[in-house]
Amino acid sequence: MSDAHDLYLYRRKGNYAPRVGAVHDLCGYGNCSLVVAITIVSAAGCDVCPVPTSLFSANTKFPVFYMHDTTDILNDYLDAWNKEKVDLDAIYSGFLGSATQVDVIKRMYLEYPHALRIVDPVMGDDGKKYPTYTQEMCDATRELVEGADLLTPNLTEASLLTDISYEGQDVDDDYVHRMIDALLTMGAKSVVLKGVVRGDGKIRNYLAGEGYAPAEVIAEELPYMLHGTGDVFASATLAAIMCGRSLYDAVDFASTFVHDAMVITREQPDYEMRGVTFEPVLGEVTDLLRK
């Protein structure tokens, strides 16, 4: 079995700017989703092409927010891309506005069969589904596991996908490997399971892929939680992958990037609500192109 340090999902060629279709919601306030994906992946020298799954006035951490589901426009949106012969090197999906949007992503997979498939199944956290996610949407999202080149769930999302009971964030390695094995059996080619904490001041992210031994990436755990860290983590992981880094190195980079952004976020007004202030550390992403 090979080492995870040798697992590469994308090989960058010269000055070519890879084109990434980012299938996420657009949030007006509270850094998350497309604002995060466009900015971070663009900083890695990629051409990010957004496919907005819904529009939000603010992230769902706020007690009051407006949501507009964009399902009805998406097929026309993609039809226009086809007429312009838009091509994609990767398809990166996240928060969805309806169960039907899974069919939109599947359409993209058919039309861009060569594109890398990155699935961040944004369904919930802390053992609970997000307020806009129904069981129908969770069931539909399971269909994106099969064939995903990279799947990046947290423990709650992995539980929703596999039907393995959620046992909190402090879980042992046997539980982690059982969860990852279930996701690989469902058809994911590589998995990063995020956010295992055991009260020792560390946060652990686990990764594994077909034919590759499981590996663990450890970062410092900070004594506070922020909405949107999963979006930042997945986007930073993809940014490193598109710069030609191995999956292990990409997860290690993303873990550090999220930590550094969270430290800066703590210094902002209303930091618990506003999402992750990642902008001041974007230089860490652009440095990937120079190294």
Side-chain angles (χ1 to χ4, degrees):
M1 188 170 283
S2 302
D3 188 275
H5 289 82
D6 299 322
L7 177 53
Y8 291 85
L9 301 183
Y10 185 80
R11 296 286 189 175
R12 190 80 168 249
K13 296 181 180 179
N15 290 323
Y16 175 71
R19 188 168 291 162
V20 177
V23 191
H24 298 253
D25 64 298
L26 179 61
C27 186
Y29 183 75
N31 272 354
C32 63
S33 55
L34 272 178
V35 171
V36 168
I38 293 171
T39 309
I40 293 176
V41 181
S42 292
C46 296
D47 178 4
V48 181
C49 307
V51 180
T53 59
S54 52
L55 307 178
F56 280 84
S57 59
N59 70 44
T60 57
K61 178 76 171 177
F62 287 85
V64 177
F65 59 84
Y66 168 78
M67 174 188 175
H68 175 74
D69 177 4
T70 62
T71 301
D72 290 345
I73 72 167
L74 293 182
N75 279 308
D76 290 340
Y77 189 101
L78 294 177
D79 287 346
W81 277 15
N82 286 340
K83 291 175 182 176
E84 294 296 337
K85 295 182 171 51
V86 172
D87 197 11
L88 298 175
D89 298 287
I91 299 167
Y92 169 31
S93 63
F95 184 96
L96 303 181
S98 71
T100 305
Q101 291 181 357
V102 169
D103 292 329
V104 174
I105 296 171
K106 288 181 175 180
R107 169 188 170 173
M108 295 177 72
Y109 289 167
L110 288 173
E111 293 176 351
Y112 307 102
H114 54 282
L116 195 65
R117 301 178 183 183
I118 311 296
V119 179
D120 187 21
V122 183
M123 298 187 291
D125 203 358
D126 198 26
K128 301 175 183 176
K129 296 191 294 288
Y130 289 132
T132 61
Y133 260 66
T134 63
Q135 188 59 49
E136 179 189 13
M137 290 178 66
C138 292
D139 292 342
T141 302
R142 286 179 182 164
E143 299 175 25
L144 297 177
V145 174
E146 184 175 3
D149 292 296
L150 178 61
L151 183 75
T152 61
N154 60 32
L155 287 162
T156 298
E157 292 153 353
S159 174
L160 292 168
L161 292 170
T162 62
D163 282 332
I164 296 173
S165 62
Y166 174 77
E167 298 181 2
Q169 303 299 116
D170 183 0
V171 291
D172 61 24
D173 284 355
D174 287 343
Y175 178 91
V176 167
H177 294 148
R178 182 158 59 98
M179 193 77 83
I180 289 176
D181 287 346
L183 293 168
L184 292 173
T185 299
M186 289 172 67
K189 297 178 183 179
S190 302
V191 175
V192 175
L193 186 61
K194 306 175 294 191
V196 175
V197 293
R198 295 176 177 151
D200 58 358
K202 299 175 182 177
I203 185 166
R204 292 170 168 82
N205 300 303
Y206 291 82
L207 58 144
E210 294 177 327
Y212 288 84
E216 175 184 5
V217 174
I218 298 176
E220 179 190 7
E221 180 192 6
L222 296 172
Y224 51 95
M225 298 294 294
L226 297 174
H227 188 88
T229 52
D231 294 342
V232 175
F233 179 91
S235 296
T237 299
L238 177 58
I241 287 170
M242 301 309 289
C243 285
R245 301 303 192 272
S246 71
L247 180 58
Y248 182 93
D249 289 342
V251 172
D252 187 43
F253 170 80
S255 299
T256 300
F257 184 82
V258 170
H259 171 276
D260 294 349
M262 287 181 68
V263 169
I264 289 175
T265 305
R266 183 71 181 270
E267 301 174 15
Q268 311 308 315
D270 303 319
Y271 75 92
E272 293 176 315
M273 302 290 285
R274 65 186 293 149
V276 185
T277 304
F278 63 87
E279 295 89 346
V281 293
L282 275 174
E284 295 179 15
V285 181
T286 56
D287 282 347
L288 291 170
L289 293 171
R290 303 188 185 101
K291 295 178 181 177

